[in-house]
Amino acid sequence: MNLNLFAARVPTFPHIRKDMTEPRNQGMPSHPAAAPVHSDPTCLTVDIDPVEYTLRKRLPRKLPKRRNDVYVNMKTDFRAQLARCQKLLDGGGHREICVHGLGLAINRAINIALQLQASSQGALQLAANTSTVELVDDLEPEDPDEAGEPLTRTRNNSAIHIKVFYPDPQ
């Protein structure tokens, strides 16, 4: 019996070290180098001291608010948000709703949509889209006399938009 049937099919990787104790490159140190310090005056970096500034997060820009839009957050009770969505679909006269979630609320938006689909015994369908939302934070100085002027900082956050709808009867 030939035990090396699979040996011919397994590719070899010459760049992988056989002995993990030998260094990859003899001339390179095994520890990472420290990050370079920028001495270039054109490179502007602002170090923000958390003692001197207070972070104020602005509310994100919302899509146009329609009657069938539901913006999910982490502060409101899950069951209350689920009941609101169910009420819009059943008693609100809407054949579709759009569930929006931003950042940490993405998982909750997905769970709400899946719960709606499960409670309808598969009658509802889902269509999800993802996006990136640019958020703006204000950095206000603690002591307005001593510190500089207020600063703004932008950052990106993930978002999801789930269309929950009854398919058209055919």
Side-chain angles (χ1 to χ4, degrees), residues 50-61:
V51 176
E52 295 178 12
Y53 288 93
T54 303
L55 178 67
R56 303 258 187 243
K57 294 182 177 182
R58 290 186 195 173
L59 290 174
R61 286 186 26 210

Side-chain angles (χ1 to χ4, degrees), residues 104-158:
L104 191 60
I106 288 175
N107 285 339
R108 181 168 282 193
I110 293 170
N111 285 334
I112 286 175
L114 290 174
Q115 288 291 323
L116 290 170
Q117 187 180 34
S119 67
S120 71
Q121 288 92 24
L124 286 171
Q125 291 187 356
L126 308 176
N129 292 319
T130 59
S131 67
T132 301
V133 178
E134 189 173 86
L135 302 175
V136 179
D137 297 335
D138 295 320
L139 296 163
E140 299 174 350
E142 286 288 332
D143 186 12
D145 300 333
E146 190 175 304
E149 60 188 51
L151 303 171
T152 59
R153 179 177 66 182
T154 60
R155 59 189 170 91
N156 291 325
N157 209 343
S158 300

